[in-house]
Amino acid sequence: MPKAAVDYLYYLRAEKLPHMWCPGCGIGIVVKSMIGAIDSLGWDKNDIAVISGIGCTSRAPGYMDMNTLHTTHGRALSFATGVKMAAPDKHIIVISGDGDATAIGGNHFIHACRRNIDITLIINNNNIYGMTGGQFSPTTPYGARAATTPHGNIDPAFDLVELAKGAGATYVARGAVDNARMMEKYFKDGMEHHGFSVIEILSNCHTQYGRRNKMADAITMIDWISDQVVSNKKAAKMSPEELEGKIITGEMYHNTELAEYTDEYAKLIERVQAKAALKA
Amino acid sequence: MSSASSEKSDIVFWQGNEVVARAAIAAGCRFYGGYPITPSSEIAAVMAELLPEVGGTFIQMEDEIAAMGTVIGASLVGKKSLTATSGPGFSLKLEHLGYACIAEVPCVIVNVMRGGPSTGLPTAPAQADVMQAKWGTHGDHPTIALAPAFHREIYLDTIKAFNISEKYRVPVIILIDEVLGHMSEGMIIPDPSEYEIIDRVKPSVPPEEYNPYDTQYGDVPPMANYFEGYRFHVTGLNHGANGFPTTVPDICHNDEVRMIQKVMKDVDTLTEYDEYMLEDAEVAVFAFGSTARGAKMAVEKARQEGLKVGLFRAITLWPFPEKVIHELGQRVKAFVVPEMNLGQMILEVERSVHKEMPIVGVNKVGGVPVPPYEILEKIKEVLQHA
Amino acid sequence: MSNRYEARFSAVGGQGVLLAGDILGLAAQKFEGRYSLQSPTYTAQVRGGPTKIDVIIDDEPVMYPKTTAINFFLSLAQGSYDAFLYDLRDDAIVVIDPVLVTKWDEKYKTYQVPVIEITKTKVGKMIMSSVLSLGIMIELTQVVSKEAIEKALLQKAPKGTEELNLKALRTGYEEAQKLLAQET
């Protein structure tokens, strides 16, 4: 049966539109795919909290007609952890940028992965600090120009998929803004997954990154992303030489065996209360 | 508690930190987010033990900032939430203390003060974070800080801190120190009939009419919980009544003024203090927290020697009991202000008295309390010149 | 009127002085209707470092939570003796373990009891040395009644250790009785 068209405006705060992002910004594609995923899951808007930190990407919750929380720089996951622990049966989605999630929020990121708490983290990775004026981030490629790398970036970049896997996330996927359908699938799978999910989206900031790196418009930048990405299915058949300079996308890790944090805490409460009842 | 009927069966002998934790549970606290730090860690340990029994949640986070983040998150879901820390940890908490102020999220933060700056004296007391409590987070904001001095008062003030935070939608700070946190003192657990429990006011309007910062009901807007159909937005940016960011100067200005005014308009009922032998006093000792206990002993000794001395013990440090101190300044000839810092609250005493008179400090920052005999000496010195 | 009584138990971390302080404090306040507090030095070294606990008892609520004039001082280690021998009244009673404290100030009336050795042979568990010391203190000073201290002990001792702690306490009384018998 064909899927009914998604009523996007039902999930948006229409009166807040138009949004504040630059024309052609990748964040719009991410938000649309998020709504598509939520809609296909049939979740009630009242049962969803969308939580963010600081940056361009972190403005997304303001447009979404749900329980929304725009927090401090890098710390969205800590607020989200409090919300989830206080309401374990609700759906918690955190949307973050690369600087927000992996620089100032790096510690919260790895520990949320380690706990395997049932939160979905979406990282819009556009390789730059957009809102503050184009400074380099932990994912800016080597040699790239940014406001604070006028002579080229010498910082090695994080591989967010490896970081998330290594830290203990139990669903990890990477998509890109050139393939919204795949992105929506990863979002849906990540949201449905009972544990900590990380979905990295390779995204375009032509305004801050592109202009400094000879890709001043959205199409050029999205083409640049398309040229680099290779699905993990394709990559499996490619030689290391062929994979040089490529970024692999796809579902990278999915483990449903490991215990989820709020489940563990619920069991702990049960154990403690049973013991207390025996004593009484 | 034991049900033994002998002597005073309801006496408990708890560490100050345990008193805080048990009082929080009595106040209805059902969430604790923390990070280990001496000398406050026992609060976390007791909360970890007790919260599951009452169906509450304890979490130890990766750092102090995250711990404070969880507290705000849990409070937005409707749970009364607590965190505790000391010195360096309090510095880190301040980022989200500001968030709780601007987003108007009730919560309670305990700072068991230790020597500083930086790592300082981790296992020794100080009272040097009192100005940090007031001014530490950036921007103008309301500050409420309580400084109880006795275990029973710690119990009742912890409950009061939750009540104030719920009533005014503000973070409330409890300032104790290493001495109070670690010492055990016999006390009778206050009976629930001795205190009230206040919960935040929920909206009376349907979701479609709800604005999270609606002031038409007063300076403290009713607060909905997440996941109850209200779907509102919370941000650390300046915002309008609807909760969405704004940069309109008048809206931003008026909202910040309101945030402070909602507390300051009730300053008289919020400021708690204790006056001892001040009726005929020529010298007033101003003290708070554990230092006030030594100060009281000094005042008693001075009275035995026939000196006209009294004690003003501030229990609410912020907002400062400005009016009362000003009036006291008209009656006495001098103030002696002992504190475990190099002169912080004395500035508020000077500001409030607002006239030329001897106002002298007795200060200790070596990790030991101010001894009563040093306070007594200063009283005598001041009286000689008064 | 203030009728302040100050006692200090000093040792090295792990000898159980905290429990001894808790028992004495509870005995005074809960079982004798007086007021008390117990104030520890809190050192980073939980095991092995010099440590002390001050117990203050009064007929009215105890104000200053630290010592001003100590009536009773106990030390089970030279390091803690040297570190914490201050604030003592001239007529303070001092108890030391002469095996561990070999240099002491003659100024104070000092009882020598090989606490550790006695704990080892008569009680068996080294952690009980502080409770045994508490027994000595109670017999020497009578600051609270034996009835009160034993009730408090039964409430504060960790589950399953009540009997052994009681044995340690009572062994302490006996040792102190021997000392007092020598005096008369």
Side-chain angles (χ1 to χ4, degrees):
Chain A
M1 208 171 77
K3 197 179 141 192
V6 178
D7 179 2
Y8 290 97
L9 282 179
Y10 171 76
Y11 295 96
L12 291 170
R13 289 167 172 148
E15 72 280 11
K16 296 292 154 204
L17 299 172
H19 60 66
M20 46 81 73
W21 300 304
C22 305
C25 175
I27 301 168
I29 308 171
V30 170
V31 171
K32 188 179 177 192
S33 304
M34 276 172 76
I35 292 172
I38 290 166
D39 185 76
S40 64
L41 288 166
W43 286 355
D44 186 333
K45 296 194 285 190
N46 291 311
D47 294 340
I48 305 168
V50 187
I51 303 175
S52 66
I54 294 294
C56 290
T57 309
S58 292
R59 289 302 187 94
Y63 303 112
M64 303 181 78
D65 186 20
M66 296 160 195
N67 304 280
T68 55
L69 179 56
H70 176 225
T71 73
T72 52
H73 198 20
R75 324 280 183 215
L77 281 170
S78 72
F79 289 72
T81 301
V83 171
K84 182 70 184 179
M85 292 301 281
D89 58 330
K90 304 301 178 190
H91 312 298
I92 317 295
I93 302 164
V94 173
I95 176 161
S96 187
D98 42 303
D100 192 48
T102 70
I104 191 165
N107 199 29
H108 310 309
F109 174 68
I110 56 173
H111 287 277
C113 291
R114 173 178 64 82
R115 280 184 205 103
N116 193 32
I117 187 165
D118 186 16
I119 293 171
T120 303
L121 170 66
I122 292 167
I123 305 175
N124 179 73
N125 179 8
N126 54 19
N127 313 103
I128 201 87
Y129 285 85
M131 190 168 270
T132 47
Q135 297 80 11
F136 77 98
S137 85
T139 61
T140 302
Y142 187 85
R145 306 277 158 168
T148 46
T149 58
H151 311 294
N153 179 32
I154 60 162
D155 272 41
F158 265 146
D159 180 328
L160 300 187
V161 164
E162 290 305 316
L163 185 62
K165 277 162 64 184
T170 47
Y171 178 89
V172 184
R174 182 189 281 133
V177 285
D178 71 335
N179 193 338
R181 266 177 49 199
M182 285 315 290
M183 188 194 306
E184 188 176 313
K185 184 194 178 314
Y186 303 143
F187 287 168
K188 179 170 180 271
D189 291 349
M191 289 174 194
E192 226 172 359
H193 173 68
H194 191 57
F196 194 70
S197 313
V198 180
I199 301 110
E200 177 194 4
I201 301 303
L202 305 173
S203 187
N204 62 302
C205 177
H206 44 281
T207 304
Q208 296 291 10
Y209 186 84
R211 275 194 303 141
R212 289 184 173 84
N213 293 282
K214 300 189 178 107
M215 298 176 282
D217 64 277
I219 302 295
T220 312
M221 250 206 106
I222 294 174
D223 282 346
W224 172 71
I225 292 168
S226 293
D227 287 345
Q228 293 175 84
V229 296
V230 176
S231 75
N232 48 2
K233 274 185 196 144
K234 262 193 198 157
K237 295 172 196 152
M238 288 165 71
S239 69
E241 293 76 30
E242 288 171 311
L243 282 170
E244 190 70 38
K246 298 289 180 194
I247 304 172
I248 301 172
T249 57
E251 180 186 295
M252 313 296 261
Y253 186 67
H254 195 172
N255 184 335
T256 54
E257 304 294 309
L258 296 173
E260 191 275 329
Y261 194 76
T262 59
D263 286 350
E264 286 295 295
Y265 201 81
K267 280 189 238 161
L268 182 149
I269 290 180
E270 214 170 286
R271 219 162 60 222
V272 171
Q273 291 186 341
K275 214 168 138 191
L278 269 178
K279 252 198 258 171
Chain B
M1 247 188 69
S2 156
S3 57
S5 58
S6 60
E7 288 90 6
K8 291 200 256 169
S9 63
D10 45 359
I11 292 271
V12 293
F13 204 69
W14 290 334
Q15 257 196 357
N17 284 342
E18 180 166 359
V19 174
V20 169
R22 291 192 180 267
I25 302 274
C29 171
R30 291 298 178 268
F31 184 89
Y32 183 96
Y35 184 81
I37 186 165
T38 304
S40 74
S41 298
E42 294 84 1
I43 298 175
V46 177
M47 291 307 273
E49 189 185 337
L50 299 181
L51 272 172
E53 277 182 29
V54 293
T57 307
F58 168 90
I59 190 164
Q60 180 174 312
M61 291 300 285
E62 55 273 12
D63 61 33
E64 297 276 5
I65 304 171
M68 188 70 197
T70 61
V71 161
I72 295 170
S75 183
L76 284 166
V77 181
K79 307 281 182 198
K80 290 187 184 176
S81 302
L82 174 72
T83 189
T85 187
S86 302
F90 190 60
S91 296
L92 295 168
K93 288 279 197 287
L94 292 172
E95 178 185 1
H96 286 164
L97 185 83
Y99 190 95
C101 287
I102 197 166
E104 301 183 63
V105 183
C107 54
V108 176
I109 302 109
V110 184
N111 178 359
V112 185
M113 293 182 284
R114 67 189 229 187
S118 191
T119 312
L121 292 165
T123 59
Q127 295 178 311
D129 304 346
V130 288
M131 283 296 170
Q132 188 192 26
K134 169 77 176 140
W135 299 113
T137 196
H138 57 281
D140 284 305
H141 54 274
T143 304
I144 300 176
L146 309 177
F150 305 94
H151 280 22
R152 203 160 192 281
E153 196 169 80
I154 292 174
Y155 194 99
L156 290 168
D157 272 5
T158 300
I159 293 169
K160 191 178 167 190
F162 278 99
N163 287 344
I164 296 171
S165 76
E166 294 282 317
K167 184 175 174 187
Y168 294 94
R169 292 187 61 175
V170 287
V172 176
I173 302 162
I174 298 173
L175 295 169
I176 55 172
D177 62 54
E178 188 275 337
V179 171
L180 292 170
H182 280 154
M183 75 179 220
S184 301
E185 175 168 56
M187 70 162 208
I188 297 168
I189 302 172
D191 186 81
S193 65
E194 290 178 56
Y195 51 82
E196 56 174 341
I197 299 287
I198 298 174
D199 296 317
R200 64 192 72 170
V201 173
K202 302 279 265 319
S204 54
V205 295
E208 55 278 15
E209 289 169 34
Y210 179 63
N211 281 311
Y213 302 98
D214 194 341
T215 52
Q216 63 171 306
Y217 308 95
D219 284 341
V220 185
M223 186 175 177
N225 291 340
Y226 272 176
F227 309 118
E228 289 183 354
Y230 283 83
R231 298 198 309 274
F232 56 101
H233 187 59
V234 178
T235 176
L237 287 163
N238 275 83
H239 45 260
N242 61 7
F244 291 97
T246 181
T247 53
V248 176
D250 279 353
I251 296 177
C252 297
H253 177 89
N254 293 341
D255 203 47
E256 282 209 30
V257 169
R258 174 190 60 82
M259 278 187 334
I260 291 166
Q261 194 50 35
K262 71 178 177 182
V263 169
M264 292 311 289
K265 72 173 165 40
D266 287 347
V267 64
D268 292 341
T269 51
L270 277 170
T271 45
E272 192 187 345
Y273 52 88
D274 188 24
E275 289 180 303
Y276 177 67
M277 300 196 126
L278 278 172
E279 297 78 16
D280 63 339
E282 292 174 355
V283 173
V285 178
F286 174 98
F288 61 95
S290 71
T291 303
R293 301 174 65 128
K296 192 169 183 193
M297 206 165 151
V299 167
E300 279 169 1
K301 286 237 158 68
R303 283 281 171 178
Q304 282 166 19
E305 296 181 24
L307 307 175
K308 290 188 171 174
V309 183
L311 172 69
F312 185 96
R313 184 168 70 85
I315 302 168
T316 309
L317 291 185
W318 307 114
F320 190 76
E322 199 176 318
K323 218 166 32 180
V324 197
I325 293 294
H326 181 77
E327 284 161 11
L328 184 57
Q330 310 310 305
R331 303 194 326 252
V332 298
K333 293 180 183 161
F335 278 89
V336 170
V337 186
E339 41 185 343
M340 280 189 276
N341 57 51
L342 291 178
Q344 296 193 15
M345 289 315 282
I346 195 171
L347 301 172
E348 284 296 304
V349 175
E350 286 170 355
R351 189 180 65 78
S352 303
V353 169
H354 200 61
K355 76 174 197 190
E356 274 302 315
M357 69 189 295
I359 300 175
V360 293
V362 190
N363 306 94
K364 281 267 182 277
V365 288
V368 288
V370 188
Y373 69 87
E374 286 192 25
I375 301 170
L376 183 60
E377 273 169 29
K378 191 61 79 182
I379 290 167
K380 288 178 180 170
E381 200 183 302
V382 165
L383 270 170
Q384 265 176 7
H385 297 100
Chain C
M1 265 304 283
S2 176
N3 185 23
R4 216 172 141 102
Y5 187 92
E6 301 181 355
R8 172 171 294 167
F9 298 84
S10 70
V12 291
Q15 288 181 327
V17 282
L18 201 69
L19 178 63
D22 269 352
I23 294 168
L24 180 56
L26 189 70
Q29 188 143 1
K30 183 162 184 173
F31 299 108
E32 292 208 330
R34 300 168 75 189
Y35 295 89
S36 67
L37 62 80
Q38 174 265 85
S39 195
T41 37
Y42 194 89
T43 55
Q45 287 170 288
V46 178
R47 300 273 152 197
T51 184
K52 72 165 161 65
I53 187 148
D54 295 331
V55 179
I56 303 165
I57 299 168
D58 204 337
D59 292 342
E60 52 191 50
V62 179
M63 282 299 128
Y64 186 56
K66 294 289 173 180
T67 54
T68 55
I70 291 171
N71 304 72
F72 175 86
F73 178 78
L74 167 98
S75 181
L76 297 182
Q78 188 73 51
S80 65
Y81 182 91
D82 298 341
F84 303 124
L85 190 84
Y86 60 83
D87 281 350
L88 268 67
R89 292 160 60 108
D90 289 343
D91 63 350
I93 291 173
V94 175
V95 173
I96 56 159
D97 183 329
V99 181
L100 297 160
V101 180
T102 52
K103 278 175 283 180
W104 64 89
D105 192 338
E106 301 283 354
K107 180 174 142 191
Y108 302 107
K109 184 173 179 62
T110 303
Y111 292 97
Q112 302 165 46
V113 190
V115 172
I116 300 298
E117 186 56 34
I118 294 166
T119 309
K120 208 183 292 178
T121 53
K122 299 196 176 168
V123 186
K125 281 221 158 96
M126 293 307 297
I127 190 104
M128 310 278 179
S129 58
S130 290
V131 169
L132 191 141
S133 308
L134 182 63
I136 298 170
M137 186 245 190
I138 297 302
E139 188 68 48
L140 290 178
T141 66
Q142 311 286 334
V143 63
V144 296
S145 70
K146 286 181 187 169
E147 193 195 349
I149 204 83
E150 292 186 5
K151 277 185 187 166
L153 180 140
L154 292 177
Q155 227 169 73
K156 276 284 174 185
K159 268 220 162 59
T161 71
E162 294 95 336
E163 281 312 304
L164 205 57
N165 268 301
L166 202 57
K167 188 178 173 191
L169 188 77
R170 288 176 175 168
T171 307
Y173 305 156
E174 289 162 18
E175 291 304 318
Q177 282 157 8
K178 284 187 211 161
L179 292 171
L180 293 171
Q182 283 165 16
E183 280 188 349
T184 49

